Amino acid sequence: MSLTAVLDYDSGNLHSAQKAFERMSREVGGGDVIVTSDPDVVARADRIVLPGDGAFPACKRALDAVPGLADAMREAVEVKGRPFLGICVGMQMLATRGHEYELTDGFGWIEGEITRIEPADDALKVPHMGWNDLVIDAPHPVLDGIATGDHAYFVHGWAMRVAKPEELLAHVDYAGNITAIVGRDNIVGTQFHPEKSQATGLRLIANFLTWAP
């Protein structure tokens, strides 16, 4: 039976993510969903989900502090080609580096930088918080049934500037374009929280659970 590992490193809203993934797994026959910090479980997982809430440096340090967890994740994703989904700061850590508070190296899986959101309209507040309409930039299996204009829920003050346009799958307008979804090969990331994004988010989760890159 297929196994999806949701990584627990004390930096994500794991309860709501777990419930959303379990719900959609039951609907699409996606197998077991386990919240874990055990590298051995991650090593044998068929899919990996990396949530993340808070600041980029703190999340990266917390992940690296769990013995063997980051190494097991990298082995599964880079060597074994297992499908990977990063959520919020879990997506930001895919980048080359982040500039929040201090310069912090990311995984380098998606070339780009994490920079502060600076809307052209001073009336728009930062962090970017609440519902926004997706603009789909490129087709992807994880986006099946999701279209431009569908809503997603965001909470973030920093965003990814993607270096390669082909790795930008969707953005939103917040007095300027903000990266919403990135992806390449077996890797995808969402700046928004799919577990909080109602129909749009649940559809994306279902697609991820049946994705075979």
Side-chain angles (χ1 to χ4, degrees):
M1 177 175 289
S2 180
L3 173 65
T4 297
V6 180
L7 272 55
D8 179 5
Y9 60 109
D10 292 330
S11 293
N13 184 0
L14 296 179
H15 179 73
S16 59
Q18 179 183 9
K19 294 302 180 185
F21 276 84
E22 288 175 342
R23 171 184 170 182
M24 299 318 297
S25 186
R26 287 193 297 270
E27 291 195 14
V28 302
D32 292 332
V33 176
I34 295 178
V35 174
T36 183
S37 57
D38 185 339
D40 291 336
V41 174
V42 175
R44 61 183 174 84
D46 300 287
R47 288 176 175 76
I48 295 172
V49 179
L50 181 67
D53 288 331
F56 185 109
C59 286
K60 184 64 162 49
R61 283 195 295 268
L63 178 65
D64 290 340
V66 182
L69 185 59
D71 288 341
M73 180 192 70
R74 285 186 177 276
E75 173 81 10
V77 176
E78 294 179 354
V79 179
K80 298 177 182 176
R82 301 289 165 77
F84 173 95
L85 173 62
I87 297 173
C88 197
V89 180
M91 183 205 86
Q92 293 184 4
M93 287 192 284
L94 300 177
T96 310
R97 63 187 64 86
H99 295 266
E100 186 175 3
Y101 301 123
E102 61 191 60
L103 191 63
T104 306
D105 288 338
F107 307 150
W109 292 347
I110 299 289
E111 188 177 342
E113 310 273 332
I114 307 302
T115 60
R116 184 186 297 275
I117 298 172
E118 296 179 341
D121 182 352
D122 292 339
L124 294 178
K125 295 181 179 180
V126 177
H128 171 223
M129 182 180 299
W131 295 92
N132 206 330
D133 295 344
L134 295 174
V135 179
I136 305 301
D137 294 295
H140 191 280
V142 169
L143 301 181
D144 281 353
I146 298 172
T148 292
D150 287 347
H151 307 305
Y153 187 80
F154 294 80
V155 184
H156 64 121
W158 296 71
M160 185 185 292
R161 295 186 181 273
V162 180
K164 297 179 179 179
E166 65 271 22
E167 295 179 352
L168 176 65
L169 303 183
H171 71 276
V172 294
D173 180 10
Y174 196 66
N177 291 348
I178 292 178
T179 297
I181 309 174
V182 297
R184 69 167 181 84
D185 304 327
N186 57 310
I187 297 164
V188 69
T190 66
Q191 180 62 69
F192 60 89
H193 288 266
E195 75 278 10
K196 298 179 181 179
S197 295
Q198 299 181 357
T200 299
L202 293 176
R203 181 60 186 261
L204 186 143
I205 290 170
N207 290 339
F208 175 74
L209 290 169
T210 56
W211 179 36

